[in-house]
Amino acid sequence: NITPPLIQRVTSEYECVPFKSQIQAVVLSRYFNFQLANVLITLGVGSFVTSLRMIIKTPTDIAVVCAKAFPMVGSYCINLIVVKTFVELGYEISRFWPAVQYVFARVFTDKRQWTRRALRRSFFSNPVFLHGWYYPSMLSVIILAFIYSIVTPILSIFALLFFVIAEVVYKNQALYVYTTIAHSGGQLWNVAYKRAMTGLIMSHVLLVGYFW
């Protein structure tokens, strides 16, 4: 996925954000918005436009329109969470890309140059944990769980499975793989909290529309 590094490069080099923690906060916010927009477009622009027309026609029925539109794509959101659980987290725990680089280097280059120190400095080095790259994926699952707990309760089971596996995966990565070079002092918590509350508010709107 080239989106996080692209956002980070623009933020650091063109917007000249000075601190690494602030850069990660910007990446988190923008990458999260990108993921939500991507899901919205994937769900179907046609149905979204239809719902938007109904909302414009009768603004007071916005909760009812949303409550009728969201359940139609509940199965897609379940599939999305399943993919995140087994593909995204599986890729994360496997360290697939460093393994590919290691095999490529051992097969197509001179093996004598790959001493233990060289391997540790290249393929086996500890990468930096970039919060802005990983938080948006988990926040998107939180928001989907909040929203669809009203209209598609079974989605909550898949969201729970995601977070159970994610806790094991990222705890292992935090302890044995990643390093931290910058501390935000809790600033990223405010960014994550606001987006989680957005999902909670949307779930209440759907609850009102569902029982209206």
Side-chain angles (χ1 to χ4, degrees):
N1 192 349
I2 65 171
T3 306
L6 180 62
I7 297 174
Q8 181 168 312
R9 188 177 183 87
V10 170
T11 304
S12 60
E13 296 187 6
Y14 294 96
E15 298 181 10
C16 299
V17 177
F19 302 109
K20 293 181 179 179
S21 58
Q22 292 180 350
I23 292 174
Q24 291 306 308
V26 173
V27 173
L28 191 159
S29 178
R30 294 178 181 176
Y31 186 37
F32 173 79
N33 294 335
F34 172 81
Q35 284 197 345
L36 282 187
N38 188 32
V39 170
L40 182 63
I41 293 174
T42 306
L43 291 178
V45 178
S47 59
F48 173 74
V49 172
T50 302
S51 301
L52 183 61
R53 289 175 180 174
M54 295 176 63
I55 292 173
I56 294 175
K57 186 177 181 180
T58 54
T60 56
D61 294 338
I62 181 173
V64 177
V65 172
C66 292
K68 292 181 179 179
F70 273 82
M72 294 187 294
V73 292
S75 59
Y76 169 81
C77 294
I78 292 176
N79 292 332
L80 179 64
I81 294 178
V82 170
V83 170
K84 283 180 174 291
T85 302
F86 295 103
V87 177
E88 182 178 305
L89 296 180
Y91 177 84
E92 175 64 32
I93 194 67
S94 66
R95 303 290 296 156
F96 177 75
W97 180 240
V100 170
Q101 291 178 308
Y102 170 75
V103 172
F104 184 86
R106 297 287 289 183
V107 172
F108 296 102
T109 60
D110 187 3
K111 297 180 181 179
R112 292 174 295 180
Q113 67 177 332
W114 294 112
T115 61
R116 288 180 177 270
R117 179 177 297 179
L119 290 173
R120 183 173 294 276
R121 288 181 176 178
S122 54
F123 311 115
F124 298 150
S125 61
N126 294 331
V128 177
F129 185 82
L130 302 173
H131 298 80
W133 295 35
Y134 300 102
Y135 273 26
S137 179
M138 290 181 278
L139 285 173
S140 63
V141 177
I142 289 177
I143 288 184
L144 290 177
F146 282 159
I147 293 175
Y148 283 93
S149 62
I150 304 299
V151 294
T152 312
I154 194 174
L155 186 141
S156 301
I157 299 175
F158 294 94
L160 175 62
L161 177 64
F162 170 84
F163 284 111
V164 169
I165 298 177
E167 181 182 8
V168 176
V169 170
Y170 285 110
K171 182 182 291 185
N172 176 82
Q173 303 300 82
L175 290 174
Y176 303 112
V177 178
Y178 291 115
T179 59
T180 302
I181 60 174
H183 296 276
S184 63
Q187 293 179 358
L188 293 179
W189 162 248
N190 295 326
V191 180
Y193 174 79
K194 290 178 181 178
R195 278 144 187 82
M197 288 301 101
T198 300
L200 192 59
I201 292 171
M202 292 177 65
S203 69
H204 281 74
V205 173
L206 286 180
L207 180 63
V208 172
Y210 195 71
F211 293 102
W212 188 260

